[in-house]
Structures are given as C-alpha cells and as structure tokens.
Amino acid sequence: MYYKGWYHLFYQYNPNGAAWDRSIVWGHSVSRDLVNWMTLEPAISPSIDSDRFGCWSGSATILPDGTPMIVYTGINRIQGNDTNYQVQNVAYPKNASDPLLREWVKPAYNPVISPDAGLNATQFRDPTTAWRGPDRRWRLLVGNEDGQVGRALVYRSSDLKTWERAAEPLHSAATAMWECPDFYPVAAAGNENGVDLDDVASGAAVAKHVLKSSLPFLWNDYYTVGTYDAGVDRYVPEDPSGDYNRIRYDYGTFYASKTFYDPARKRRVLWGWVNESDTAAADSTKGWAGIQAVPRKVWLDAGGKQLVQWPVEEVESLRGNPTMVSDKVVKAGKHFEIKMYEAAQADVEVVFEIPSLEKAEPFDPSFSNDAQKLCNMKGADVGGGVGPFGLWVLASADLEERTAVFFRVFKAYDGKPVVLMCSDATKSSLSPDLYKPRVAGYVDTDIITNGKISLRTLIDRSVVESFGAGGMTCILSRVYPSLATGRNVHLFAFNNGEEDIKVHHLTAWEMNNAQFTE
C-alpha cells in the first residue's frame, strides 16, 4: 500500500529459518520508489489465540479517513484436535501519524471472521482488500474450497467488526482451493490508469473487473476478466469456457500475487512471489528462500480481453552503460554475442523483425490450450521454420550453460499465426538437484501487420523475467548457473529457425544494485 509518501510491502517471513512453519510473521519493508527498500521490524507476529500458529496471508485497506487496516488469516487449532482452524483477524496502526507504521495493534474483538458451520475451516484464508458497495457496506473476499470447488466467499460489514457471509460466493469454479484471491476494477481497454476499488461505488469509469486466484496444486496464478454486479455481489467471467484454464499472469515461477492501487501515480501495481528452483537443503544452507518479482504495472489491453504487464518505470533508474545493436541479421542456425561488461544484471529490450512467414511450421490445434507441452516438444535447440529465435541469457562463454528466452511462429490458425513464447532452463546450470523446466505461453499479437515482435528481459543473477510483445505474455524463470556467474556471464541473440531473423533494434543496459537498508 501507499501511505504518507511511502510504499509499504508486507510479506510472509519466517525469522527463524528458510522454511514454512508456525513462526510465520508479516515482514515489513518500506520504499519511496518501489526499487530501494528499508527493512523494518515485523508488522505483526503471533500474539493472540486466533493467530498463535502463524500470521498468514491477507491484505491492507486504506479507510476513508486515511487509516490503514490489515486483515489477515490467523491459525488456531480446534481443541483436542491437531487440525488447523483458520480465521480472519484485523490490526491497526498504533500511531497512524507515523508514516513508517512501525507498530500495529490487534483489537480484543479478534477474530472478526470465523468459518460458519459446514465450511472447511482448513481451507479458509487470505482475505482481500476491502471495498464498499452501493449500500456503503464493506465487502471483502476469503478464499475457500468446497468439495474440489474453489470459491471466493463474500463477507459484508457495516462497522468492520461484525461480518456476515453472503449466501452465494462472488464466483466459483471446479479447481479446488483458491488461495490469495485478488479482485479489482480496470479502466477502459487500453487505458493504463488504475482504478481504486472504493472508487467504483462513487461512479468511477470502470470497464471490467479482474478476479484472480492462486491454485496451490499447480503453483500458478490464474485470472479472468469479467463483469461485476455490485448490487448482488456476483462476478461473471466474459469467457466462462476459459475459466481458470487459459490466462495466467505469468507462465513461469510466479505465485500468491497481489495488486494494490497506487494513488501517487494513479496506477495498479502487481507483486508476485518467486519460489526457489533448488532444494530445501540448499535453502537452509543459504538461510533464505523466496523473493519478490519486480513490481509490475497492470492494465487492460486494447482488445479488452487480457491484462498487460510491464515493470514499473522506476526500475529504469538502475540502468547504466547501454549496449546497442541495430539492423543485424541473424542467419539460420547462427548466433552472436551482445558484448557487455556486466551481463549478470541487465535490462534488455529487443525488437525482432521477421521478413517472411513462408517457412513457418503448421500448428497442431491439439496444443491450443497447452503451450507448455508444445514448448517441451520444441525447445530452444529444436530447429524450426520461423524460430526458435531470441536470447540466450546467463550464458557461459562456451554456451555450456545458457537459459533461452525465445519465440516460435506457426502458420495461421483461426485466421492468424500462432506465436509461442518459451523460457528454456534445461541447460541453465551444470549443478545437480535443480528444477530446470521449459515453460511457455502463447502471445496474442498481430505479427502480420508489422512483421515485428518485442521482448524485454530483466536478468538478475538467478532471475530471468521476460515480457513478450509489450507485456502481453510474461515468463519468469529461476535458474542457478554454476559457470555463468559474475564476470563470466554472457548474453547472446540466436536463431535456430530456417528463416533469417533481423534484430531490428536492441538495447542492453547494465543494471546497478538496488539499495537495501535496515
């Protein structure tokens, strides 16, 4: 949230080690610019009966008088039973005049929401930011599972103390548990401005709403774009056939995400959690596990069907020492190096030009809903017609280690070419015991009109965060090279297709370190 000139990031944190256990607290860091951060003492820690087994996920809400409120899941245990009993608690600043909000207090009336009889108390968590409806009562959502059906339960309150569950969920789907639900309005298609949840009841121009859930058995975040009826608190996706099967924020390692409205820049910002790709033993050795992805601005695309995501502009303040390449043809089966002094931390923007689609491979429609499977069959080293072409990042000089981020274009299907975007980590490291997958998504872009496609990739030692076609498709990979480290990291453009590809323009900036203080 944004409060008195500071961005506040709260996150799940174990002060005692690199593992999930009942020691979980709310870590707390603050920033002026979403890039450089100061770590504060934890905001909330287990201290009452209704959170004695951990202070788990939740959200912050800025109330009309400017006071922030935290709503979070606490875990207790049913008496005489080891079963987790999940409830929702609130916390408020001890001193709201402190812009850093160093101390929080928990009212004696906690918990404010407990599972009704018949609800699964072990799958009842992660309250959203609250908002007010036309009747001025507050609403929030709680994730739940009911017989392999994921649900976003609606709770309403007039005083933020007593909450009642609506008879029907906001929405549900046969997906099992919905963790970390997020629900927010978006402006008209192509309008990059964000909209605050509470502005909806005030008549703000809202085109559609977005409902997102994290599916723990897949470790992926899925969302739909649809219509919200505030009168009855029901949400209807525009494409029910694709309900939680098609659109993901990110096709790589990205989970438990949350957005907030930034009033300082009138934008909606998305945060996502990035898991490790090595073993729990390795996490224990290094003493930490999990990071946050670069914050992303999100808005509804010009077609009104999906979100566009782009790194917040403040990230560009870390750029330095650019390397540029223009109008360079990459012949079939060839590659070239983009010479950089520091390629382990870089921000690369490139536009590829495709002279012809004549050699494009036919597209098998059985892969229409499974880009991952197609990428597994046709990785970066499998030659094609138009592609694979893209970047080898975090590469060793001899290319023994390399992570590929690339496109492959197939012949027209349903009226237009199919563009596949992949991140191939299978050769990212010689180290054993690493998770090195290929991950992929399709890119909704008109490659015929201008014959070009863009790629932006943020490289940060063990993170490769990529944005295809201006942020229409995003893929984050977690890799741990053993050779390609420090000054031994190289960056290449490659083309393993039969059709020549031109690097229309490429700029690769070396990235300075963000500043972290305590």
Side-chain angles (χ1 to χ4, degrees):
M1 65 178 179
Y2 184 80
Y3 186 73
K4 295 185 182 297
W6 290 88
Y7 294 101
H8 291 255
L9 175 65
F10 304 97
Y11 45 91
Q12 299 285 266
Y13 175 59
N14 184 349
N16 302 318
W20 295 103
D21 63 29
R22 67 185 189 183
S23 302
I24 290 294
V25 305
W26 273 39
H28 185 192
S29 294
V30 294
S31 173
R32 291 284 195 183
D33 59 7
L34 293 175
V35 174
N36 304 292
W37 293 86
M38 177 170 62
T39 302
L40 305 178
E41 58 270 24
I44 51 176
S45 303
S47 63
I48 57 179
D49 284 346
S50 54
D51 68 14
R52 64 194 184 106
F53 291 102
C55 298
W56 299 87
S57 292
S59 302
T61 301
I62 304 294
L63 302 179
D65 65 358
T67 302
M69 172 186 70
I70 284 173
V71 188
Y72 70 98
T73 296
I75 295 183
N76 202 336
R77 294 280 172 85
I78 299 173
Q79 188 171 5
N81 192 325
D82 288 336
T83 301
N84 288 336
Y85 185 82
Q86 298 171 2
V87 297
Q88 317 312 320
N89 301 304
V90 295
Y92 292 93
K94 185 175 182 179
N95 176 13
S97 65
D98 173 17
L100 299 185
L101 300 172
R102 289 181 177 270
E103 296 183 84
W104 294 76
V105 294
K106 305 170 186 176
Y109 52 77
N110 274 312
V112 294
I113 301 176
S114 297
D116 302 333
L119 283 182
N120 185 349
T122 69
Q123 306 288 335
F124 180 74
R125 54 185 178 271
D126 310 338
T128 66
T129 296
W131 74 95
R132 288 177 296 179
D135 58 3
R136 308 312 291 166
R137 285 195 297 168
W138 290 95
R139 280 102 164 128
L140 60 76
L141 307 179
V142 178
N144 176 243
E145 178 187 354
D146 179 30
Q148 296 298 307
V149 173
R151 308 192 297 177
L153 303 180
V154 180
Y155 283 83
R156 304 187 184 108
S157 176
S158 298
D159 59 6
L160 300 173
K161 296 179 182 180
T162 302
W163 293 82
E164 296 180 351
R165 179 164 69 97
E168 299 293 334
L170 182 82
H171 186 55
S172 62
T175 58
M177 177 61 188
W178 283 5
E179 288 191 324
C180 303
D182 194 16
F183 183 60
Y184 55 92
V186 287
N191 186 338
E192 296 186 19
N193 289 335
V195 183
D196 195 3
L197 268 165
D198 205 35
D199 287 343
V200 176
S202 303
V206 174
K208 297 172 184 176
H209 275 71
V210 173
L211 178 61
K212 164 260 162 186
S213 292
S214 302
L215 304 185
F217 59 96
L218 293 174
W219 290 96
N220 294 323
D221 280 8
Y222 291 79
Y223 74 88
T224 58
V225 176
T227 302
Y228 168 51
D229 185 336
V232 295
D233 289 318
R234 294 301 301 273
Y235 168 82
V236 179
E238 289 200 339
D239 182 11
S241 66
D243 201 3
Y244 295 96
N245 289 310
R246 294 178 182 271
I247 313 180
R248 285 166 53 179
Y249 277 144
D250 193 292
Y251 292 87
T253 305
F254 191 92
Y255 190 70
S257 61
K258 175 68 184 176
T259 65
F260 76 99
Y261 176 70
D262 175 10
R265 302 232 177 177
K266 294 181 171 55
R267 61 186 172 182
R268 183 156 290 275
V269 178
L270 169 69
W271 283 98
W273 173 62
V274 184
N275 201 357
E276 304 300 309
S277 65
D278 52 4
T279 64
D283 295 343
S284 180
T285 298
K286 65 185 180 238
W288 59 273
I291 60 172
Q292 298 293 324
V294 167
R296 305 172 181 179
K297 177 180 173 180
V298 296
W299 67 95
L300 190 63
D301 82 302
K305 295 181 179 180
Q306 69 167 86
L307 296 175
V308 181
Q309 304 168 62
W310 199 247
V312 294
E313 61 185 287
E314 292 91 331
V315 172
E316 297 171 18
S317 67
L318 300 177
R319 288 173 170 177
N321 194 21
T323 298
M324 290 179 280
V325 177
S326 295
D327 294 325
K328 186 175 180 64
V329 174
V330 191
K331 304 292 287 185
K334 301 297 182 180
H335 63 269
F336 71 91
E337 182 172 3
I338 297 101
K339 296 287 187 179
M340 302 180 68
Y341 179 70
E342 173 61 82
Q345 292 180 188
D347 185 352
V348 185
E349 291 196 28
V350 57
V351 176
F352 294 102
E353 185 173 338
I354 304 166
S356 171
L357 296 177
E358 288 185 10
K359 296 180 181 178
E361 305 161 77
F363 180 71
D364 182 345
S366 67
F367 294 108
S368 295
N369 295 321
D370 201 340
Q372 176 90 32
K373 186 176 181 180
L374 183 57
C375 182
N376 280 330
M377 291 180 59
K378 295 181 179 291
D381 298 328
V382 178
V386 179
F389 62 88
L391 301 175
W392 283 326
V393 305
L394 294 175
S396 57
D398 59 3
L399 291 173
E400 192 173 5
E401 287 186 342
R402 62 187 188 273
T403 296
V405 184
F406 65 92
F407 299 108
R408 186 188 292 257
V409 184
F410 296 86
K411 289 187 185 297
Y413 174 71
D414 281 351
K416 64 180 182 179
V418 175
V419 180
L420 178 71
M421 177 176 166
C422 296
S423 182
D424 187 344
T426 55
K427 294 188 177 179
S428 61
S429 179
L430 299 182
S431 298
D433 301 323
L434 294 176
Y435 179 54
K436 296 182 285 188
R438 295 185 181 100
V439 289
Y442 293 113
V443 188
D444 186 3
T445 184
D446 182 5
I447 206 166
I448 293 179
T449 299
N450 57 22
K452 298 182 180 72
I453 189 167
S454 68
L455 175 67
R456 182 178 181 185
T457 296
L458 302 178
I459 304 160
D460 190 9
R461 299 182 185 272
S462 69
V463 181
V464 181
E465 193 166 356
S466 299
F467 303 81
M472 293 292 285
T473 299
C474 307
I475 301 178
L476 191 153
S477 292
R478 200 74 196 275
V479 296
Y480 287 100
S482 59
L483 302 177
T485 61
R487 297 282 180 249
N488 298 317
V489 177
H490 299 262
L491 172 67
F492 298 86
F494 77 94
N495 176 20
N496 282 335
E498 296 177 7
E499 185 69 59
D500 293 349
I501 299 295
K502 180 187 286 188
V503 174
H504 179 72
H505 185 77
L506 180 150
T507 304
W509 291 270
E510 296 174 8
M511 296 292 278
N512 297 312
N513 291 329
Q515 301 301 308
F516 297 91
T517 58
E518 295 186 0

